[in-house]
Amino acid sequence: MILIIDDDSAIRSSLSFMLKRAKYDVLAVSGPKEAIETVRSVTPQLILMDMNFSLSTNGEEGLILLRQVKLFCPDVPVILMTAWGSIPLAVQGMQAGAFDFITKPWNNAALMQRIETALELTSKDKSADTVLTDDDGFDRSHIIGKSKALLDVLTTVKRVARTGASVLVTGESGTGKELIAEAVHMNSPRRNKPFVKVNLGGISQTLFESEMFGHKKGAFTDAVTDRKGRFELADKGTIFLDEIGELDLSCQVKLLRVLQEQTFEPLGESRPRKVDVRVVCATNANLEQMVREHTFREDLFYRINLITVHLPALRERREDIPLLARHFADSRCKADGLSPVELTDDALDYLSRLPYPGNIRELKNLVERTLLVCGKQLLTADDFKAQYHPASTTSVTENLQGLTLEELEKRTIMQALEAHGNNLSQVALSLGISRAALYRRLEKYGISFND
């Protein structure tokens, strides 16, 4: 049974009609007193709850009711309903234990998808079939490894992929967050629809709307033809928003509206377009800290992280390093038409002990560089030692007194450029940031380079 709590009779009627058509049992009540009487005697599968029940619109009555309901039904998902202007109130509700929120007026299809997602993810009787096995048809999307840390991640991916839940993939740079996003898509009902990747760190504030929502011919000076945006290209499929922590605050507001309402307007067009997309985001930033520092919107944070998947660093899954090293060597040989190359046990042991601040990306770079430079069919530990050039950190920590954070960052980048001969891929790897993020910092500090 789904419990509806709203003092507006029209909303109760429309929601009841929609849910009954979808074959759900429904009970609708008008306020907190009736809601508490209901949850004292029965346990709903899900609760749809308004946040305002009086002439006051501060939402305090709704927050109190939410806390009371969670005492009686701690495992029942609650979806809050609020006006767009009251999203901060919905965020407080999420902090108090709500599962999700939706703004009025809502899109029926989007609301039904969130209801189904909530029911799917909180259904205890389905937890038994999510154990990952080798023959269950789960598509790993080229994810290599068998460590417990990785298998735990993939088990979570298997559970959430079949739902429509938004997913936030976190982890250090180079851990393979894009592959996890692809696995979510490939194991979902949307697998035969588009998977659109967007590197938000590489899109400037001025181009954000055109890139994401498209534009009409003549919308601005260089708009010589109509162009579809990334959201329209991803319709019925999945959009992967990488480096979401790099998004400017003004762009965060525009993104939030699309994620909330599933509608957008191309530049130069005033008619809203509907879109049906599954959203997967990724970041190596600490978004919770950014929320506290007011550099990332709290309402957007709660919208994108319904499910959070943390990808462990390579040093936390060292048993996977030999498998990855052999995979990278085999792949490079096939790509370049070379004879197969073997790695000795001492080579694999050496590779398994390295710190890998650049994670899988760093391991791949080391294996491929050693293979190509040495030109041997049997690679030893000494071969890898000769090609391993960790970034020196001694010069970075010298003479720091009196420097601002920006001055320290600029100096660190310039030292890394010198250490790696202006090879931007290596510089980004050593600094633990993406190449796109490095470009932005080079532009910010006016640092010239020759890649």
Side-chain angles (χ1 to χ4, degrees), residues 29 50 58 71 132 139 169 302 310 335:
V29 299
D50 188 26
N58 62 11
L71 287 175
L132 202 65
D139 187 343
V169 187
Y302 280 111
H310 180 72

Side-chain angles (χ1 to χ4, degrees), residues 325 328-329 332-333 338 341-343 347 350-351 354 356 362-389 426:
F328 293 141
R332 174 51 59 185
C333 289
L338 304 174
V341 171
E342 296 293 330
L343 281 66
Y350 171 74
L351 290 174
L354 296 178
Y356 297 111
E362 181 182 355
L363 172 63
K364 181 175 186 289
N365 187 292
L366 175 58
V367 170
E368 292 184 347
R369 182 172 64 248
T370 304
L371 184 153
L372 295 173
V373 169
C374 293
K376 298 164 56 178
Q377 291 186 282
L378 185 66
L379 298 177
T380 67
D382 289 338
D383 295 322
F384 286 102
K385 289 176 184 177
Q387 297 302 321
Y388 180 58
H389 308 300
Q426 287 296 311

Side-chain angles (χ1 to χ4, degrees), residues 88 93 104 116 123 134 291 351 389 411 417 448:
K104 300 175 181 178
E116 290 164 3
S123 175
D134 292 332
V291 168
L351 290 174
H389 308 300
R411 177 177 292 191
L417 283 167
S448 59

Side-chain angles (χ1 to χ4, degrees), residues 13-26:
S13 297
S14 62
L15 283 175
S16 297
F17 179 72
M18 179 186 73
L19 292 170
K20 286 176 180 177
R21 286 191 62 184
K23 308 302 182 185
Y24 289 108
D25 292 328
V26 180

Side-chain angles (χ1 to χ4, degrees), residues 56 94 148 189 230 286 291:
S56 172
M94 297 287 284
K148 183 181 183 303
R230 305 297 182 89
N286 185 335
V291 168

